Amino acid sequence: ITDPKTQRFEVPHEHVGPFSGPAASDLKYKVDIQQNPFGIKVTRVSNGKVLFDTAIGPLLYAEQFLQLSIKLPSANIYGVGEHVHKRYQHDVNWKTCRDTAPSGNMDNLYGVQTFFLCLEDNTGASLGVFLMNSNAMEFALQPAPAVTYRTIGGILDFYIFLGDTPEQVVQEYVKFIGLPALPSYWSLGFQLSRYDYGSLDEVKAVVERNRAIGLPYDVQYTDIDYMDGRKDFTYDKVKFKDLPSFRAYMHNYGQKYIIILDAPIGTEALSDGSPYEAYERGQSKNVWVNESDGVTPLVGEVWPGRTVFPDFTNPACTDWWVEECQIFYNQVPYDGIWIDMNEVASFVPGSSNGCKQNDLNFPPFTPHVVDRLLFSKTLCMDAVQKWGRQYDVHSLFGYSMTLSTQRAIERLFPGKRSFLLSRSTFAGSGKYAGHWLGDNAATWDHLKWAIPGMLEFGLFGIPYVGADICGFFEDVTEELCRRWMQVGAFYPFSRNHNTEKCAVSGGPPPELGTRFRRSPRSC
């Protein structure tokens, strides 16, 4: 559903373009369009059941507000994310899902997945609905049963999938957005990580403890503490001085080494006063997200301090990113890449200069996002990228970074599957990357809620998914960590990962490392 008078933003997705070829025959459905009131109705031919009916509510199509409601054949609704689910099946009693750390309060999280599955009846016949739209939105459920999409831009570009079983519907959907990547064999093993090991000696001590007790694990990570001043494509020449030989040390025991790369790029010199060359090269190639003038790089604040943000929708930026991954690999070899902070995240709202008072940063309608502010913990909505304004492309940042990083993976590991993990996702991310459910806590609830979270990403075409085993934040008891390790052995992506230390306060057995207490950014 488009505006015939005005060209509106449309998602530049690699798998969506003009359809060609003959129309399908022997259809399992029929489509009727009615007027007064306007409505689109999709009926299953075999039994005459109406599956999709928009006449339940008015179509609203304004410049910055679009709404469409859909009456469904049953309340058995699954999908739409990313946010915490306490149950796999949605509660249709007037719940609103929104695109923060997982807390169980339905806050918006790290990515946008606008697909849902509806199990029509007890025969298994199923329906899938996908909205190709990357603008900020709400998804409301009503007991009719019905759902309502509200978005503040783009177009209403719906795709409907019919199947005799739920599996058929998901198969149709993932063929459309891109089939999931086949993980490397070694990435199906147990993986170990933490934020703030402190030094490479501490990492090796953890590795040696686990080797000594014969605990099978295939992958060791280093988080941003391996970097010089938390800057991508650098390493701490004091605390991690032997990092260039660490992969060989892991390979001697058949293990792999994975690094983290954050989306934001620091602007300051390195700790020894030398230039930060990755930033300097990016600056010379004009590869950053710009302010509303389209020229001045937008400056925010993340782990390195003052940062700029690569525009991964710009081919020149992808070339720069691939080259930086190669340059760093030549210094510090690694086996895969974990990309983070790519929602895109910033610790100051909008930019260091604030955001202008306009309809992009302060639209007439703001979905129920965190802080009820579109640029909270991210960039100004009038910031400019190659694909468009942040207002339209914000939810595509992690997806575009995934595409660029996959190019680097192909350069570094030709003919191999390697490893790519992303925090932020969009429809189609699973073709290249896996996902973890973000900064959870060491609680029994979070152990339980991770299960429907992972099942959902199976619907979204991202089956390589997991949650931080034993929880990322807070202390964990030995009993909880033991149980979580048992459940986590069945996660497709099975990783124990926890946060930086402030004060020691107990934890799981020492062979896995030690749990420490931390409040966000308190250290």
Side-chain angles (χ1 to χ4, degrees), residues 38-278:
F38 169 80
I40 299 173
K41 184 182 296 184
V42 178
T43 305
R44 187 181 285 273
V45 171
S46 63
N47 57 14
K49 179 177 289 187
V50 177
L51 306 181
F52 180 103
D53 186 359
T54 69
I56 189 174
L59 167 66
L60 302 178
Y61 211 100
E63 176 64 24
Q64 290 184 271
F65 184 81
L66 294 81
Q67 176 175 296
L68 187 74
S69 297
I70 307 163
K71 189 175 189 307
L72 297 169
S74 86
N76 301 315
I77 300 168
Y78 307 83
V80 180
E82 178 183 15
H83 52 86
V84 170
H85 273 314
K86 298 183 180 181
R87 296 171 58 229
Y88 188 33
Q89 181 180 339
H90 276 290
D91 181 355
V92 297
N93 291 307
W94 304 102
K95 297 294 183 180
T96 301
C97 308
R98 301 177 291 274
D99 276 334
T100 310
S103 62
N105 60 5
M106 299 290 280
D107 278 344
N108 49 298
L109 291 175
Y110 307 105
V112 178
Q113 300 289 339
T114 58
F115 171 82
F116 71 84
L117 173 78
C118 179
L119 190 65
E120 298 165 28
D121 52 36
N122 58 10
T123 69
S126 300
L127 161 78
V129 176
F130 169 57
L131 172 60
M132 179 63 84
N133 183 291
S134 60
N135 288 86
M137 70 176 66
E138 289 184 353
F139 178 81
L141 300 106
Q142 300 108 52
V147 299
T148 297
Y149 284 91
R150 302 185 191 100
T151 184
I152 62 173
I155 64 172
L156 295 177
D157 189 9
F158 282 97
Y159 298 81
I160 303 170
F161 306 89
L162 271 65
D164 297 327
T165 65
E167 290 87 351
Q168 285 184 8
V169 170
V170 174
Q171 286 167 4
E172 292 169 11
Y173 174 58
V174 297
K175 286 178 182 176
F176 175 64
I177 60 169
L179 292 171
L182 182 64
S184 53
Y185 183 62
W186 54 264
S187 68
L188 297 175
F190 177 62
Q191 307 179 30
L192 192 55
S193 177
R194 74 163 302 156
Y195 175 27
D196 190 28
Y197 274 114
S199 70
L200 190 61
D201 288 341
E202 186 175 338
V203 177
K204 287 185 175 180
V206 170
V207 173
E208 293 297 336
R209 285 201 302 269
N210 283 280
R211 287 176 179 175
I213 65 168
L215 188 137
Y217 84 107
D218 288 84
V219 180
Q220 178 64 51
Y221 291 71
T222 51
D223 207 320
I224 59 174
D225 37 296
Y226 80 83
M227 301 175 183
D228 183 325
R230 297 170 171 177
K231 296 179 177 67
D232 284 352
F233 310 117
T234 68
Y235 71 98
D236 187 322
K237 301 296 197 308
V238 177
K239 296 179 180 178
F240 287 81
K241 61 183 175 62
D242 294 329
L243 199 61
S245 62
F246 183 67
R247 187 179 77 153
Y249 162 82
M250 296 297 293
H251 282 195
N252 287 338
Y253 280 77
Q255 297 168 299
K256 305 293 184 180
Y257 170 50
I258 291 173
I259 64 166
I260 191 173
L261 292 174
D262 281 345
I265 299 295
T267 63
E268 308 298 332
L270 300 183
S271 58
D272 61 3
S274 61
Y276 179 22
E277 293 183 354

Side-chain angles (χ1 to χ4, degrees), residues 20 39 59 106 131 165 181 196 222 262 268 286 297 315 339 365 379 396 399 426 473 494 504:
S20 60
L59 167 66
M106 299 290 280
L131 172 60
T165 65
D196 190 28
T222 51
D262 281 345
E268 308 298 332
N286 300 314
I339 53 177
F365 170 77
L379 311 186
L396 300 172
Y399 176 69
F426 189 75
F473 286 121
S494 182
V504 179

Side-chain angles (χ1 to χ4, degrees), residues 392-454:
D392 295 312
V393 304
H394 167 80
S395 295
L396 300 172
F397 195 98
Y399 176 69
S400 62
M401 185 181 185
T402 296
L403 296 180
S404 296
T405 309
Q406 176 60 24
R407 286 272 305 278
I409 294 289
E410 292 167 356
R411 163 88 77 87
L412 298 173
F413 310 103
K416 295 184 179 180
R417 293 198 292 270
S418 185
F419 177 94
L420 177 54
L421 185 76
S422 177
R423 187 165 78 170
S424 183
T425 65
F426 189 75
S429 291
K431 182 178 178 181
Y432 306 105
H435 176 64
W436 87 105
L437 300 181
D439 294 345
N440 59 1
T443 69
W444 290 98
D445 277 342
H446 281 210
L447 167 61
K448 180 172 62 176
W449 296 343
I451 295 172
M454 287 183 287

Side-chain angles (χ1 to χ4, degrees), residues 277-355:
E277 293 183 354
Y279 165 71
E280 299 291 346
R281 286 188 287 263
Q283 182 77 351
S284 68
K285 297 176 181 178
N286 300 314
V287 300
W288 315 128
V289 176
N290 289 321
E291 293 186 357
S292 58
D293 62 6
V295 177
T296 308
L298 184 148
V299 177
E301 181 181 333
V302 193
W303 301 117
R306 285 173 57 85
T307 57
V308 289
F309 303 87
D311 177 11
F312 293 103
T313 71
N314 181 349
C317 180
T318 296
D319 293 342
W320 163 80
W321 182 255
V322 171
E323 190 62 28
E324 295 304 328
C325 289
Q326 177 72 72
I327 292 171
F328 188 61
Y329 178 85
N330 293 342
Q331 300 175 49
V332 178
Y334 49 86
D335 295 299
I337 301 175
W338 161 30
I339 53 177
D340 196 11
M341 305 297 285
N342 55 345
E343 291 70 35
V344 58
S346 181
F347 297 160
V348 294
S351 82
S352 297
N353 297 324
C355 296

